[in-house]
Amino acid sequence: KERARDLYRNSPWARRLVDSLVIGVVGAGIKPQFRAADTDLKQRVQAEWLAWTDQADFAGRFDFYGLQQAAFRAMLVDGECFLRLVLDPAQRIPLQLQLLPSEFLDATRVDDRTLNGIEYDAAGRRVAYWLYRRHPAEAPDMQSVRVPAEQVIHLYVPIQPGVERGVTWLAPIMTALHELRKFEEAAVVRG
């Protein structure tokens, strides 16, 4: 994951690849089309949706469409990310999404029902995630909290059946990009 992040930050090819995929897949965002015979109802639903999209990000950094791009980018580079559904019925916007990088999952949490921070029921279904409240680099001695699975979206692509965590999409090209960088540096030095 750290090598992929470094590639995204420092390799123009990796950056271009990831950003092109984000724009190609997400673009300006996934936008629903409301269909209703009642024009007044359709306009009210559209107004509520637009109000929510402006406030969807728990951290207040993005609107819903920027949040979609950030989540997909994190999945490409890190292999996965988490979106925690934050429900507060007392607020004007009762549902917000908190984007969490993969290190928020307490992978050290392992017991008879929990593996790598993901808790399962007897049938093998995910029932909870053990997440840190803050980034673990800020307070490494911090304890994780149990968050029910219905409040978490684990965004990743399983590379084969039974795989419970994501792998960076840059993994297959890391060596080639590293070699390309070395070649480029040698060509510049040779002059």
Side-chain angles (χ1 to χ4, degrees):
K1 174 175 59 177
E2 293 306 320
R3 287 181 58 208
R5 287 179 180 177
D6 179 66
L7 268 177
Y8 179 72
R9 284 190 300 264
N10 298 308
S11 168
W13 296 287
R15 171 75 59 115
R16 178 74 174 156
L17 172 67
V18 169
D19 290 348
S20 295
L21 281 169
V22 169
I23 295 302
V25 171
V26 179
I30 300 163
K31 299 178 181 180
Q33 297 291 320
F34 300 105
R35 294 182 185 182
D38 184 345
T39 307
D40 186 49
L41 172 64
K42 183 177 178 177
Q43 289 175 343
R44 284 195 325 264
V45 169
Q46 183 69 31
E48 288 295 321
W49 172 257
L50 291 174
W52 180 77
T53 59
D54 290 343
Q55 303 295 316
D57 183 11
F58 180 77
R61 291 185 195 100
F62 305 104
D63 64 4
F64 180 59
Y65 307 110
L67 193 61
Q68 289 175 52
Q69 287 188 351
F72 188 62
R73 184 177 295 107
M75 185 189 72
L76 292 174
V77 175
D78 293 351
E80 65 185 340
C81 70
F82 298 91
L83 289 152
R84 187 174 70 95
L85 284 64
V86 180
L87 301 169
D88 187 353
Q91 297 295 319
R92 160 78 173 90
I93 306 296
L95 169 66
Q96 291 183 307
L97 304 173
Q98 182 182 22
L99 180 59
L100 302 171
S102 59
E103 53 266 23
F104 269 76
L105 184 67
D106 182 359
T108 65
R109 175 81 60 166
V110 177
D111 60 36
D112 59 330
R113 295 184 57 193
T114 307
L115 179 62
N116 298 323
I118 304 171
E119 185 178 323
Y120 302 90
D121 65 11
R125 291 181 293 259
R126 294 175 186 220
V127 294
Y129 292 85
W130 289 87
L131 301 172
Y132 295 111
R133 291 183 191 271
R134 294 192 343 243
H135 197 286
E138 295 175 16
D141 60 341
M142 196 165 39
Q143 293 294 313
S144 56
V145 294
R146 184 180 187 273
V147 180
E150 59 268 9
Q151 295 176 15
V152 176
I153 298 170
H154 185 184
L155 184 61
Y156 78 107
V157 175
I159 59 171
Q160 63 189 42
V163 174
E164 299 295 321
R165 302 287 307 272
V167 176
T168 176
W169 288 30
L170 296 175
I173 61 169
M174 280 183 170
T175 302
L177 287 176
H178 178 69
E179 294 297 321
L180 187 57
R181 183 188 303 176
K182 284 176 25 181
F183 172 78
E184 198 174 50
E185 288 169 358
V188 168
V189 169
R190 189 185 311 151

